[in-house]
Amino acid sequence: MVKSEQKNPQVIFLVERGWRGARELAIKLARQHLTCWLIIKGKVPSDVLEIITPRAGISVRSLSRWYFKPMVALLVIWHRLFGCLKCVIVNKDRTLFWMSAIVRMVGCHTVLLNEVGESIELSNYQHQTIRPEDLASFLSRENSSVL
């Protein structure tokens, strides 16, 4: 039996609208040897998941809308306490609000991803702008307090 190389995530992306920006940022972070999980809200056909996924260090899952919030909350807490989760990246303001409360309790960071045209804008829960390069270098280091 072949053992899969599925690692615990270091970055979890909560994707509720449009996955292009999240996938681009996940590719940048995967190049920095960070393991990324993209969790898409709503049922996504398997052929679409195959289009999004084919990169090393990136996994894509879809969760039903009905249990998205409780399942994501449990996953984040589990992977922070028993894994190596460093950051949760969301692409919706309302999700940033409730997720940042959970993530701060377990000592992790949240980042808001906005797609503006073809570019990506990142900000922390205090709406301070973060460059993707700074995020990657911050997450690659241990015990940093840039966010």
Side-chain angles (χ1 to χ4, degrees):
M1 182 158 86
V2 177
K3 186 177 179 181
S4 75
E5 290 189 31
Q6 185 66 24
K7 295 181 181 179
N8 287 332
Q10 294 170 312
V11 180
I12 292 179
F13 289 81
L14 302 182
V15 182
E16 295 188 65
R17 56 178 177 217
W19 49 265
R20 183 195 55 81
R23 183 173 184 270
E24 286 179 16
L25 183 57
I27 291 170
K28 288 180 184 179
L29 296 178
R31 287 183 188 141
Q32 300 293 321
H33 307 291
L34 294 166
T35 305
C36 301
W37 278 13
L38 277 73
I39 301 175
I40 301 173
K41 183 177 184 179
K43 188 66 180 153
V44 178
S46 60
D47 58 335
V48 175
L49 287 178
E50 289 175 13
I51 293 170
I52 302 170
T53 305
R55 298 279 182 173
I58 301 172
S59 295
V60 180
R61 303 282 186 267
S62 65
L63 293 176
S64 171
R65 297 179 181 281
W66 303 108
Y67 57 85
F68 182 77
K69 279 186 181 183
M71 187 59 121
V72 163
L74 289 173
L75 282 171
V76 166
I77 292 169
W78 176 264
H79 285 293
R80 180 60 186 155
L81 296 178
F82 300 108
C84 54
L85 182 65
K86 297 178 181 181
C87 182
V88 177
I89 299 175
V90 301
N91 68 351
K92 197 171 180 184
D93 285 320
R94 286 191 333 204
T95 306
L96 177 68
F97 178 73
W98 66 266
M99 183 50 66
S100 64
I102 293 170
V103 169
R104 279 183 280 161
M105 285 191 311
V106 294
C108 203
H109 300 285
T110 49
V111 174
L112 177 65
L113 181 142
N114 284 317
E115 294 181 42
V116 180
E118 294 295 317
S119 65
I120 299 170
E121 291 181 354
L122 301 173
S123 59
N124 62 10
Y125 69 93
Q126 297 169 337
H127 296 289
Q128 297 168 332
T129 303
I130 303 167
R131 294 182 331 163
E133 300 81 24
D134 294 339
L135 178 66
S137 65
F138 165 75
L139 294 174
S140 298
R141 288 182 272 144
E142 294 294 323
N143 300 326
S144 299
S145 59
V146 171
L147 294 177

